[in-house]
């Protein structure tokens, strides 16, 4: 059916879609019209099981009335307030609520919170805080930032500079001074592992190589995702993150964890920081912060980093940085309501109860033709497929389309299928997802 013949389908020409093959999509659009609980409803009335929590963000499931009511009340009370040199109570309330569950152990939480509008903004903010901190403590030569191959840190120039997406690095200029650790993906030694792979802790020593190359006195920060999500669910080897923490401490380099995906319960603890027991200096978040309802991000900083900037004349702006929508009152209302749901339903730790069933269901696909690896941790899975000769990514994309047509939303990156369902998912729905993905892989061939 031609798109213009489909009922209730808008014209598609004007909207330039993000991270989408626009011409391909508009020739055969996939439209979502409503959502509730674990399911989307397509524009042609089909129920579609959400295997990706929207885009890694709808951790509490769709259609939460408590969040909608909080947003409505806030819009009727205070729709917007300037964030520069002015404040409004709900931003301070939300920051205090977040500080109480902030990454890190009791007594050493990263409980100083800077609000942003997205994960990309959170990353750029964290990098700027790190450089500003080094200058504040008399280390002004430290301006270099280190990321990791196959990392994803959003689409700002800071984020793509420390990120490892090949297309970003080929097309757009990068910030001077950025460099990259080797990635941790080792298919030969670590295939089909549940949880953290055994081999690869020594890859953290790559930071020592960059220190020797550039000099520690030039490096402000190192940023990594505890679990790389958007580049294919790459789980850190046992001991890797602690080793990276130790090297950063040794050389005076700030360690930043990008928890835009892993924050707010994805692994079975409030943050991956807590799950792995490794405390960085700064953590970036977004997505699950408001259950995906209102765009918002937050950067969590240690008191050491924060307090180093709280010097000089009191009338002086300590960090010359911010956004029009930092601490937006409506986003804060959505965030507080989201935290209430997480607390009332125990969602920040629920993944730990489901992780064994989730891992077993996904790893049951081992042996399926063209499946070359399966990686699971918490409620996130990566299923890697063999690439078609001359057409990398096509096999996984065809599985994605097949799944959607049969009633399951998955995400693909290259030839890797990613699953990250809302934290309200049932064991039965997990099994259904695994069965549907397996059937789609076999159909696509």
């Amino acid at each position: 059916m031609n798109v213009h013949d489909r009922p209730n389908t808008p014209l598609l020409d004007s909207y330039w879609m993000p991270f989408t093959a626009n011409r391909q999509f508009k020739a055969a659009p996939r439209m979502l019209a409503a959502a509730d609980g674990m399911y989307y409803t397509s524009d042609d009335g089909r129920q579609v099981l959400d295997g990706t929590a929207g885009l890694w963000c709808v951790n509490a499931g769709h259609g939460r009335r408590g969040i909608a009511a909080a947003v409505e009340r806030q819009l009727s009370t205070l729709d917007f307030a300037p964030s520069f040199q002015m404040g409004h109570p709900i931003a301070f309330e939300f920051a205090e609520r977040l500080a109480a569950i902030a990454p890190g152990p009791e007594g050493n939480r990263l409980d100083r919170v800077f609000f942003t509008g997205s994960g990309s903004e959170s990353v750029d903010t964290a990098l700027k805080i790190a450089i500003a901190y080094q200058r504040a403590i008399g280390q002004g030569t430290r301006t270099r930032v280190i990321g990791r191959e196959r990392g994803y840190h959003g689409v700002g120039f800071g984020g793509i500079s420390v990120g490892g997406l090949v297309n970003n690095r080929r097309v757009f200029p990068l910030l001077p001074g950025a460099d990259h650790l080797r990635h941790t993906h080792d298919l030969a030694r670590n295939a089909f592992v549940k949880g953290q792979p055994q081999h690869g802790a020594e890859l953290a020593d790559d930071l020592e190589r960059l220190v020797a190359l550039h000099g520690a006195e030039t490096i402000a920060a190192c940023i990594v995702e505890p679990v790389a999500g958007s580049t294919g669910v790459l789980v850190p080897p046992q001991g890797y993150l602690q080793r990276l923490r130790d090297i950063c401490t040794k050389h005076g380099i700030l360690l930043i964890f990008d928890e835009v995906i892993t924050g707010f319960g994805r692994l079975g603890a409030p943050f991956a920081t807590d799950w792995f027991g490794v405390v960085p200096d700064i953590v970036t978040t977004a997505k699950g912060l408001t259950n995906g309802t209102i765009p918002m991000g937050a950067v969590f900083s240690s008191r050491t980093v924060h307090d180093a900037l709280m010097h000089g004349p009191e009338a002086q702006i300590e960090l010359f940085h911010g956004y029009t929508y930092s601490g937006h009152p409506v986003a804060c209302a959505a965030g507080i309501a989201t935290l209430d749901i997480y607390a009332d339903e125990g969602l920040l730790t629920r993944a730990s109860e489901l992780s064994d069933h989730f891992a077993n269901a996904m790893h049951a696909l081992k042996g399926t033709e063209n499946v070359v690896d399966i990686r699971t941790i918490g409620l996130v899975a990566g299923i890697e497929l063999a690439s078609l000769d001359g057409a990398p990514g096509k096999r996984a994309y065809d599985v994605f389309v097949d799944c959607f047509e049969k009633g399951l939303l998955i995400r693909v990156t290259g030839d890797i299928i990613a699953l990250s369902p809302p934290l309200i998912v049932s064991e039965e729905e997990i099994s259904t997802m695994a069965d549907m993905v397996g059937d789609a892989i076999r159909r696509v061939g």
Side-chain angles (χ1 to χ4, degrees):
M1 180 186 294
N2 185 285
V3 64
H4 298 295
D5 297 331
R6 294 175 60 167
N8 303 317
T9 300
L11 295 178
L12 308 181
D13 295 340
S14 297
Y15 179 32
W16 192 344
M17 300 174 67
F19 276 122
T20 299
N22 277 249
R23 292 164 294 173
Q24 181 186 60
F25 177 90
K26 292 174 183 179
R30 296 170 295 276
M31 294 287 197
L32 302 172
D36 187 65
M38 282 293 302
Y39 288 86
Y40 281 106
T41 302
S42 65
D43 64 341
D44 55 357
R46 295 182 301 107
Q47 292 291 286
V48 179
L49 182 59
D50 185 1
T52 61
L55 199 57
W56 310 88
C57 52
V58 189
N59 289 359
H62 298 276
R64 287 292 190 159
R65 305 297 181 260
I67 299 175
V71 166
E72 181 181 16
R73 285 194 302 272
Q74 188 58 47
L75 278 170
S76 300
T77 305
L78 178 67
D79 54 355
F80 177 80
S83 54
F84 304 163
Q85 305 288 7
M86 294 294 296
H88 55 87
I90 197 168
F92 293 92
E93 179 186 351
F94 190 27
E96 288 298 318
R97 290 285 303 274
L98 289 170
I101 62 164
E106 191 72 37
N108 191 32
R109 296 190 187 277
L110 309 184
D111 60 1
R112 295 298 182 258
V113 183
F114 193 105
F115 287 123
T116 71
S118 68
S120 293
E121 288 184 2
S122 289
V123 167
D124 280 9
T125 296
L127 296 177
K128 290 174 77 172
I129 288 173
I131 292 171
Y133 164 81
Q134 298 288 9
R135 180 179 293 272
I137 64 170
Q139 297 288 312
T141 60
R142 291 182 181 262
T143 59
R144 191 179 299 278
V145 287
I146 305 297
R148 187 170 58 189
E149 296 170 353
R150 294 191 68 171
Y152 178 68
H153 301 292
V155 295
F157 276 103
I160 67 172
S161 296
V162 293
L165 287 184
V166 173
N167 286 339
N168 271 342
R169 291 168 62 178
R170 284 177 177 170
V171 175
F172 303 109
L174 307 183
L175 296 179
D179 210 337
H180 299 80
L181 306 168
R182 288 179 294 169
H183 64 74
T184 61
H185 189 205
D186 189 342
L187 195 57
R189 295 194 296 170
N190 292 328
F192 297 101
V193 171
K194 298 176 182 178
Q196 291 186 264
Q198 180 178 351
H199 304 288
E202 72 280 357
L203 291 168
D205 295 340
D206 207 32
L207 184 55
E208 292 281 16
R209 176 183 63 85
L210 296 181
V211 168
L213 175 64
H214 300 296
E217 73 280 1
T218 72
I219 302 174
C222 176
I223 181 171
V224 297
E225 298 159 280
V227 176
S230 296
T231 57
V233 186
L234 308 181
V235 181
Q238 296 173 23
Y240 174 87
L241 292 175
Q242 184 59 59
R243 203 152 166 173
L244 201 59
R245 169 72 277 179
D246 293 343
I247 294 170
C248 285
T249 301
K250 172 184 173 183
H251 293 292
I253 299 167
L254 292 186
L255 180 60
I256 303 170
F257 280 177
D258 184 341
E259 292 219 41
V260 170
I261 283 176
T262 55
F264 302 101
R266 179 52 50 190
L267 301 188
F271 298 92
T273 295
D274 309 310
W275 198 93
F276 291 111
V278 178
V279 184
D281 302 287
I282 299 172
V283 165
T284 65
T285 66
K287 294 189 183 291
L289 180 67
T290 64
N291 203 44
T293 55
I294 305 287
M296 192 181 202
V299 177
F300 294 82
S301 167
S302 72
R303 295 191 185 187
T304 298
V305 171
H306 169 272
D307 293 351
L309 296 173
M310 298 299 131
H311 295 287
E314 287 191 3
Q316 172 182 295
I317 296 174
E318 296 93 354
L319 180 67
F320 209 75
H321 173 72
Y323 303 97
T324 298
Y325 299 116
S326 289
H328 191 287
V330 180
C332 289
I336 291 171
T338 298
L339 291 186
D340 287 341
I341 292 170
Y342 289 158
D344 291 345
E345 300 182 16
L347 294 183
L348 294 184
T349 56
R350 188 167 188 265
S352 64
E353 304 166 12
L354 295 171
S355 59
D356 286 347
H357 179 79
F358 185 77
N360 291 336
M362 298 305 155
H363 280 272
L365 298 175
K366 182 179 179 180
T368 303
E369 187 176 6
N370 297 316
V371 173
V372 298
D373 190 21
I374 299 170
R375 303 179 285 274
T376 55
I377 187 169
L379 276 181
V380 58
I383 302 168
E384 187 161 351
L385 306 180
S387 297
L388 288 167
D389 290 342
K394 185 179 188 306
R395 176 171 275 132
Y397 177 79
D398 289 345
V399 171
F400 162 71
V401 173
D402 186 274
C403 281
F404 178 74
E405 291 174 349
K406 298 297 189 295
L408 173 66
L409 181 65
I410 63 174
R411 176 159 167 71
V412 295
T413 173
D415 272 308
I416 300 168
I417 296 165
L419 288 165
S420 58
L423 305 178
I424 63 169
V425 67
S426 68
E427 290 190 354
E428 181 181 2
E429 287 162 339
I430 289 170
S431 298
T432 297
M433 289 176 193
D435 291 343
M436 293 179 75
V437 169
D439 290 344
I441 293 171
R442 287 184 281 271
R443 278 192 295 267
V444 166

